[in-house]
Every structure is written in structure tokens, then in C-alpha cells.
Amino acid sequence: MEVDSGTVNLVSKEGDSFSVDIEVARMSELVKGMIDDDCDDDDVAEIPLPNVKAAVLKKVIEFCKHYRTEPMTEIEKPLKSGVMAEVVQKWYADFVNVEQVLLFELILAANYMDIKPLLDLTCATVASMIKGKTPEEIRKTFNIANDFSPEEEAQVREENKWCEEP
């Protein structure tokens, strides 16, 4: 039996409950599977999402609601630009214009909840942050310590010289 109308409560890691239209919630393959397994209940389903913080879940729901009204254009790979507004519609580019911590939490939530368009968007955003940068610039962007000795770094660069050739 397909359930397409009504609402479902998505419950965050902290126990906060968000009432969401079933058609929106079904964008998540994880939630869709739980709804389908639980469809003989007449009660409003409650779906626990113990890996997703409330603030992140709120953003995920915002994405899913918007996606239902204006689907995101498919992201070309490799990225044609390091500017997300040139890759997707403005709303989506603005949506991922967030602090790095939240961006990475959105990636984890999209992966856990199995929401492919959100995972594509967030991963493309990280790719755009890397595009055209040197290893040093990437380390600075993501606050990564260089734990190679100068000798080890020279060896790695030599072994991977083919990567940098046009």
C-alpha cells in the first residue's frame, strides 16, 4: 500500500519532532522505507533520526520542501565552475552558502538519510571549494595540518607528478 498523503514526524537526535508532509519526507530513501514498512498504521508515523541534529534536520526539510516545488538542475561533472551559482539555481547556491561545519553535517545527513540531490549539492559545494587550488590552499581552507616531512612531501609529489600534468 502506497502512502502519499498526510504527515510524518521526523525526530532529531535531540528528540525535537518536525511534522512533514509524507510526499516531502519520502525524498529520503531511508524515511521512505520506514514509511512503507509502517504503512498499515493509521497513526501519524514517527521516524527517529538519531544521527541528525535538529538544526541540520531543519535545513534538510527546507531543502526537500523547496526541491518539490523547484527541482534542482542536474550538476554537471566535472564541475564547470567553482562558483555554485553558475552550477545550480540561485536558491540552491544560497542554501549551501553556510559555515563549513554545517555543510559537512548536511553531507552526513544527506548520506545517512539517502537524499541523492542534497548529497550531490553538498559534495559539489566542497568540490567547488577545492577546484583550482594548490594543496597548501586546500589545507588552509579546511584547516588541515601538513603532517608530511619535506622529504615525504617531495616523494609524494614525485610519485604523483602525472596528476599535475595538463
Side-chain angles (χ1 to χ4, degrees):
M1 179 176 129
E2 283 287 302
V3 180
D4 281 329
S5 61
T7 60
V8 63
N9 290 325
L10 303 180
V11 183
S12 72
K13 180 180 191 169
E14 299 88 344
D16 295 350
S17 186
F18 298 87
S19 182
V20 180
D21 288 342
I22 285 178
E23 63 184 35
V24 171
R26 289 172 65 88
M27 275 192 66
S28 162
E29 292 295 325
L30 173 73
V31 172
K32 182 180 176 182
M34 291 174 155
I35 290 170
D36 291 346
D37 291 347
D38 200 29
C39 67
D40 40 346
D41 253 345
D42 286 340
D43 300 332
V44 174
E46 194 164 274
I47 310 282
L49 298 168
N51 294 357
V52 186
K53 293 179 186 172
V56 177
L57 184 54
K58 194 173 178 181
K59 287 284 284 181
V60 170
I61 293 167
E62 179 188 354
F63 174 89
C64 292
K65 283 180 178 177
H66 187 82
Y67 191 90
R68 301 266 316 150
T69 59
E70 181 195 7
M72 183 176 71
T73 54
E74 191 168 332
I75 297 171
E76 293 179 36
K77 297 169 191 90
L79 284 181
K80 62 182 178 184
S81 170
V83 179
M84 287 307 293
E86 295 174 10
V87 178
V88 293
Q89 299 99 308
K90 182 181 182 334
W91 187 92
Y92 293 101
D94 291 343
F95 178 82
V96 289
N97 186 15
V98 295
E99 295 287 325
Q100 260 186 40
V101 172
L102 179 55
L103 180 62
F104 288 119
E105 286 178 345
L106 283 168
I107 289 172
L108 294 172
N111 187 48
Y112 170 68
M113 293 176 70
D114 197 358
I115 305 172
K116 187 180 183 322
L118 180 56
L119 187 60
D120 288 349
L121 176 64
T122 51
C123 288
T125 302
V126 172
S128 74
M129 295 164 80
I130 293 171
K131 189 172 178 65
K133 292 191 175 173
T134 65
E136 291 76 22
E137 291 169 327
I138 294 168
R139 280 191 204 101
K140 187 174 181 192
T141 299
F142 296 106
N143 200 21
I144 300 170
N146 182 2
D147 54 359
F148 286 121
S149 69
E151 295 79 22
E152 290 171 325
E153 189 166 347
Q155 180 183 351
V156 169
R157 285 186 190 276
E158 185 59 37
E159 290 170 359
N160 297 288
K161 193 184 286 184
W162 60 272
C163 293
E164 296 175 17
E165 294 170 359

